Amino acid sequence: MADVFGKQLDWVDRKLGIVEDALNAIAGLMIFGLMFLGVIQIILRAVFRSPIYGYIDIVEVSMVGFTLMSISYVQRVGGHVRMELFVTKLRGRLHWIAEFLSTVLTGAIVAILIPSSYAHFSRAYKFGDSTIDIQLLTWPAKLVVPVALSILLVRIIIQMFGYMRLAYRPDLPPVGVPLIKTVEEQAEEEIELAEEVRSTQ
Amino acid sequence: MIENLSDTTIGVMGVSLLIILVFMGIRVYAAAALTGFLGLWALKGWKVAAAMAGTIPHSKVVTYPLSVLPLFILIGFLAFYAGLTGKLFEAARRWFGWVPGGLAVSTVFATAGFAAVSGASTATAAVFSRVAIPEMLKHGYDRKLTAGVIAAGGTLASLIPPSAILVIYAIIVEQSVGKLLLAGFLPGLASALIYVALIVGMCTFNPNLGRAISGFSWRQRFESLPGTVPIFLVVGIIFGAMFTGSATPTEAGALGAMVVFIYYIYRAWREKQLRTVHLRLKESLVETAKLTVMIFTLIWGVFLFVRFLGFAGLPTAFSDWVVQLDVAPIWIMISILLAYAVLGMFMDAIGMLILTLPVVYPAVINLGYDPIWFGIIVVKMAEIALITPPIGLNCFVVAGVSRDLVDENGESLEIPLQDVFRGIAPFFIADVVTVGVLLAFPGIITWLPNLIG
């Protein structure tokens, strides 16, 4: 049987991956920006005795951009913490079914959070909620939450289909799901990273 | 039916459900958020639960004190890519090589310095395996000692500032970030010095384990110092800012990251690699963002659960129960630490802390322990878990790197995993002794932070 479904899933996986990569890159750049902002703040305060007006407000409003926006990217690469003690002991179909169930439950809570975080945004939008010092509007930051969670939900649905496919046909190569690493593989990964760093020095 | 249950019963059911979900392998953030939501629903109804759940991911994440985390993480990744390791090891060798087991002692100091700044225990073990194993084995050092010292040295990452995990502890339990960062300094230094004393003792007793390396002039020693400047600067900036209160942790973190970034650019310029500099910078930023999001997701996920626990009155109930136990507090503390030692083998340190502290912490405080002191002890336990068999990720890393190493004659420098575990044993015991000392003399931890009042 030609694995048409696997190919389609792989296509969707890659397309969403582009969005996720971009969001994570933006998050990284924002952290880089936070570094410059902090240094400028120190210089202005220490040398010119005039700190950036509303520095704390600016940091707080922008934080959602590098703490939450790329949550889906982390889900894709399997970066969120979990306990793998028992899941790794399961093999074949049973393993994929367990992963599928975990993913369904994750999807459930994310699905609940999307409308409720949207309500949080819409209240801020209606009342024109703003920060204390420099009256920055907070609704754009609050809107990031339901948007990021919606992207996450799409990612979780892809993973659900990915696990479903593997539970049905455990012999197929995995598509659209993060793979579990054993402690040896984790060690191997750290070593590769160290190797890469060394080769560039 | 659920109306007939007491709040505490629902709380206990929630904790049980969370444990089951976590053991099932659900990502911790989702397990905690889901349980928290279901619990709030049971206690307060769907509407209230949904309203609370909707605000938490935003309101719990965008607070200024938390903004130091990405900067500390950035310092770590930049340090990792900036090539500080070789210079650091060379300087340590020239300064400390003359003592018995000199190369092992140098490795302790170099790993301590690098681990402190990078904040990454396992990565430190990986990098230093490459630098230190060939050098130590060339000088006839015992393989088990070599492996042990590298695996153990990485664990000094979390105590010496900057330390992301101490910031997380401070924020979860609502203590001063600055005090926690200061508090880690002396215990971190003490851990390193206890390792050094252990090595010197072992090598004096049995010189075949590792001999002193001599013959460096003072001039050569001082020449090796400039390469270590960024390390001292970063630790000094964070330490100084916390001690004097002249900058917030976030500002100090930004300045620290800037120092490493400038050094990184300088190194690239010296080695004519400016054209590829953006590739590694991009890698650092991507990894920083990933780790940042992971931590913050855990924070809001677990916070939803904590909100439910609070309504159920569980932390108070647990704390009251612990206090009325007819057991000396020290035994309760030791049981808690043992539980962390076991849990730490199976779970990431940050995840473990965020998940357990909301329940454990109030009980510990109710028993009369100092909040700052407990933070340092718990973080030290999480680090010990990285070298505890049979999991001990650091040990796997050292064994894994050594597999690919060969000496000048093409002889393999492999150190098998069981030898790494044997080599780590004395350091493991030393760490247990360190924890014992910190239990007996809490002043080692609390003296510095208490100076700033």
Side-chain angles (χ1 to χ4, degrees):
Chain A
M1 185 181 86
D3 183 24
V4 181
F5 181 64
K7 285 209 180 86
Q8 288 167 340
L9 196 64
D10 187 51
W11 185 84
V12 183
D13 177 40
R14 278 164 203 275
K15 290 292 165 196
L16 187 67
I18 298 171
V19 179
E20 291 167 334
D21 286 345
L23 289 177
N24 196 58
I26 295 171
L29 285 173
M30 287 180 81
I31 295 172
F32 202 43
L34 184 71
M35 174 184 92
F36 285 103
L37 191 71
V39 173
I40 293 169
Q41 163 78 348
I42 292 176
I43 294 172
L44 286 181
R45 196 181 57 208
V47 182
F48 302 100
R49 303 206 172 273
S50 65
I52 299 170
Y53 181 56
Y55 168 71
I56 291 180
D57 284 9
I58 297 169
V59 171
E60 289 194 342
V61 164
S62 61
M63 274 180 82
V64 74
F66 53 81
T67 58
L68 207 143
M69 202 168 64
S70 58
I71 185 169
S72 176
Y73 171 89
V74 184
Q75 179 79 21
R76 182 185 85 210
V77 299
H80 289 298
V81 178
R82 67 144 149 189
M83 192 176 219
E84 290 174 340
L85 190 59
F86 294 111
V87 175
T88 44
K89 298 276 183 294
L90 302 175
R91 292 273 167 262
R93 180 163 287 150
L94 209 55
H95 172 86
W96 300 122
I97 292 175
E99 293 281 19
F100 173 74
L101 288 178
S102 305
T103 316
V104 169
L105 291 176
T106 309
I109 184 63
V110 173
I112 293 169
L113 286 172
I114 294 171
S116 37
S117 59
Y118 183 83
H120 187 50
F121 145 76
S122 102
R123 276 193 301 276
Y125 183 75
K126 265 185 219 140
F127 301 128
D129 182 33
S130 64
T131 61
I132 299 165
D133 287 348
I134 55 169
Q135 280 79 49
L136 281 175
L137 285 173
T138 60
W139 65 260
K142 287 178 181 169
L143 181 59
V144 171
V145 181
V147 171
L149 290 178
S150 302
I151 299 172
L152 174 64
L153 188 60
V154 178
R155 166 57 57 197
I156 289 169
I157 291 170
I158 293 175
Q159 293 184 346
M160 269 163 56
F161 278 116
Y163 287 128
M164 216 150 55
R165 169 175 164 274
L166 289 166
Y168 178 64
R169 288 276 309 271
D171 54 311
L172 292 176
V175 170
V177 298
L179 295 175
I180 295 190
K181 295 170 211 114
T182 62
V183 64
E184 286 89 354
E185 285 164 337
Q186 279 176 40
E188 200 56 43
E189 218 165 64
E190 292 282 355
I191 294 161
E192 271 165 30
L193 184 65
E195 186 64 13
E196 196 182 298
V197 168
R198 221 179 85 91
S199 65
T200 53
Q201 281 163 17
Chain B
M1 184 191 79
I2 208 153
E3 292 83 20
N4 303 330
L5 300 172
S6 75
D7 287 1
T8 322
T9 313
I10 295 178
V12 172
M13 286 166 64
V15 172
S16 317
L17 177 64
L18 178 63
I19 293 173
I20 293 169
L21 292 181
V22 168
F23 273 84
M24 261 178 70
I26 300 193
R27 311 267 160 204
V28 174
Y29 82 92
L34 183 63
T35 321
F37 179 80
L38 292 177
L40 286 172
W41 182 17
L43 291 175
K44 300 275 158 190
W46 176 277
K47 250 186 150 173
V48 177
M52 277 185 188
T55 56
I56 284 173
H58 182 265
S59 62
K60 281 300 145 192
V61 161
V62 298
T63 56
Y64 179 70
L66 278 172
S67 63
V68 61
L69 282 175
L71 292 168
F72 277 9
I73 296 167
L74 180 63
I75 292 179
F77 280 108
L78 285 176
F80 197 69
Y81 285 94
L84 288 160
T85 47
K87 302 249 174 211
L88 206 57
F89 185 64
E90 185 56 32
R93 208 167 74 102
R94 292 185 190 185
W95 283 86
F96 303 106
W98 57 274
V99 298
L103 279 181
V105 171
S106 313
T107 306
V108 170
F109 283 119
T111 47
F114 183 74
V117 172
S118 75
S121 197
T122 313
T124 304
V127 179
F128 272 93
S129 296
R130 290 230 158 255
V131 184
I133 291 176
E135 188 68 20
M136 287 171 81
L137 296 190
K138 194 170 98 188
H139 286 88
Y141 273 61
D142 179 67
R143 288 190 179 214
K144 291 196 278 287
L145 174 69
T146 303
V149 71
I150 297 168
T155 68
L156 298 166
S158 302
L159 291 177
I160 305 170
S163 161
I165 195 164
L166 284 176
V167 173
I168 293 171
Y169 175 87
I171 287 167
I172 300 177
V173 306
E174 298 177 332
Q175 290 290 322
S176 147
V177 172
K179 279 193 173 186
L180 252 307
L181 290 175
L182 284 178
F185 187 73
L186 284 183
L189 205 62
S191 297
L193 291 178
I194 288 174
Y195 285 168
V196 167
L198 176 73
I199 295 164
V200 173
M202 282 165 64
C203 295
T204 309
F205 186 67
N206 178 5
N208 287 331
L209 285 177
R211 295 180 186 281
I213 310 291
S214 51
F216 291 108
S217 66
W218 283 102
R219 191 194 159 95
Q220 284 172 317
R221 284 181 184 160
F222 280 103
E223 275 172 359
S224 71
L225 285 184
T228 66
V229 166
I231 301 275
F232 287 108
L233 262 182
V234 169
V235 176
I237 287 169
I238 311 287
F239 191 83
M242 296 309 103
F243 196 73
T244 60
S246 55
T248 64
T250 303
E251 292 164 359
L255 195 58
M258 194 62 151
V259 166
V260 186
F261 176 64
I262 290 171
Y263 178 77
Y264 165 70
I265 297 291
Y266 166 77
R267 276 291 299 267
W269 171 71
R270 279 286 297 268
E271 281 155 30
K272 301 192 170 52
Q273 289 187 336
L274 272 180
R275 257 193 289 174
T276 56
V277 95
H278 64 281
L279 293 176
R280 275 174 288 156
L281 181 62
K282 186 183 159 210
E283 191 76 9
S284 326
L285 293 178
V286 163
E287 290 297 319
T288 303
K290 181 179 143 194
L291 192 53
T292 303
V293 172
M294 180 209 104
I295 293 172
F296 277 85
T297 308
L298 259 179
I299 292 176
W300 65 252
V302 172
F303 199 86
L304 193 49
F305 180 69
V306 170
R307 186 58 68 85
F308 152 60
L309 282 188
F311 278 117
L314 205 68
T316 327
F318 178 70
S319 157
D320 290 345
W321 174 75
V322 167
V323 170
Q324 58 81 36
L325 283 178
D326 193 18
V327 185
I330 184 75
W331 291 114
I332 299 176
M333 177 53 73
I334 290 173
S335 325
I336 291 174
L337 294 184
L338 285 178
Y340 273 120
V342 174
L343 194 56
M345 288 194 271
F346 303 108
M347 208 171 167
D348 173 271
I350 292 176
M352 173 174 90
L353 286 196
I354 298 181
L355 197 56
T356 57
L357 281 174
V359 175
V360 173
Y361 176 79
V364 167
I365 299 314
N366 228 341
L367 284 172
Y369 286 100
D370 182 85
I372 307 279
W373 175 86
F374 183 63
I376 303 300
I377 292 281
V378 163
V379 168
K380 179 77 189 164
M381 290 310 294
E383 287 288 347
I384 295 177
L386 284 175
I387 55 169
T388 310
I391 313 277
L393 190 55
N394 281 13
C395 299
F396 278 86
V397 165
V398 173
V401 174
S402 73
R403 208 175 302 138
D404 305 331
L405 294 177
V406 284
D407 69 4
E408 293 131 353
N409 308 320
E411 298 273 332
S412 167
L413 295 179
E414 179 172 358
I415 306 177
L417 187 62
Q418 62 269 30
D419 279 357
V420 182
F421 278 133
R422 262 181 235 140
I424 201 80
F427 294 94
F428 179 78
I429 294 166
D431 272 341
V432 175
V433 171
T434 310
V435 172
V437 169
L438 296 176
L439 276 168
F441 304 102
I444 301 173
I445 295 173
T446 52
W447 176 69
L448 256 180
N450 283 344
L451 283 185
I452 59 169

